[in-house]
């Protein structure tokens, strides 16, 4: 194995390991959909807050205290979302070691989908 192949293999493994240690939020809404703002609300300190355009992904390591106050992979996190100027409080509860996707084919059928590290999936509908 030459050094270039070895380097690519090592970098690929590092990316794989990094992705399994972070929660990611995906905007999988329809073509032409508005940007969404996803955020957490903490009483003190920093909190996760990102604006995602269509097909954008934002991730944060579960031990990062700006995203997960306890730093535990199994912590439940409450997310809030603003879509098209409308705030939706406490829309999704996901585990820090999992992921959250926003999906929909129109403004009338948007859902928040949490995937837990063990593969459990929880879907909630967002009513605009």
């Amino acid at each position: 194995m030459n050094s270039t192949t070895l380097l690519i293999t090592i970098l690929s493994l590092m990316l794989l390991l990094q992705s399994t240690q972070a929660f990611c939020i995906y905007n999988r809404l329809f073509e032409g959909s508005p940007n969404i703002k996803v955020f957490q609300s903490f009483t003190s300190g920093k909190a996760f807050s990102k604006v995602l355009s269509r097909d954008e992904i934002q991730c944060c390591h579960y031990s990062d205290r700006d995203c997960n106050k306890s730093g535990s992979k199994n912590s439940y996190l409450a997310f809030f979302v603003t879509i098209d100027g409308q705030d939706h409080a406490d829309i999704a509860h996901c585990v820090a070691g999992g992921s959250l996707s926003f999906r929909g084919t129109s403004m009338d059928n948007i859902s928040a989908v949490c995937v837990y590290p063990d593969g459990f999936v929880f879907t909630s509908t967002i009513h605009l």
Side-chain angles (χ1 to χ4, degrees):
M1 182 181 302
N2 67 34
S3 61
T4 303
T5 304
L6 180 60
L7 180 61
I8 291 171
T9 302
I10 290 170
L11 289 174
S12 297
L13 286 172
M14 288 173 59
L15 286 173
L16 176 65
L17 290 174
Q18 181 181 8
S19 67
T20 60
Q21 304 226 2
F23 73 81
C24 293
I25 299 175
Y26 302 83
N27 179 351
R28 300 285 189 230
L29 294 179
F30 54 94
E31 182 76 36
S33 63
N35 292 345
I36 60 174
K37 179 181 179 183
V38 181
F39 57 100
Q40 296 170 291
S41 179
F42 295 144
T43 55
S44 64
K46 293 182 180 180
F48 181 89
S49 179
K50 299 288 182 180
V51 175
L52 288 87
S53 58
R54 182 176 179 269
D55 289 333
E56 187 175 355
I57 301 167
Q58 291 287 335
C59 299
C60 188
H61 194 278
Y62 69 81
S63 66
D64 184 335
R65 304 261 180 191
D66 289 344
C67 305
N68 177 12
K69 288 296 181 198
S70 77
S72 169
K73 186 176 185 176
N74 297 315
S75 295
Y76 282 92
L77 305 175
F79 292 96
F80 303 79
V81 65
T82 300
I83 301 175
D84 203 24
Q86 296 182 38
D87 293 329
H88 300 278
D90 210 11
I91 198 66
H93 290 261
C94 302
V95 174
S99 66
L100 171 60
S101 297
F102 291 91
R103 301 178 185 173
T105 56
S106 73
M107 293 297 279
D108 296 324
N109 72 343
I110 295 176
S111 59
V113 180
C114 292
V115 179
Y116 290 62
D118 64 3
F120 176 77
V121 177
F122 179 78
T123 302
S124 59
T125 303
I126 300 173
H127 300 284
L128 297 180

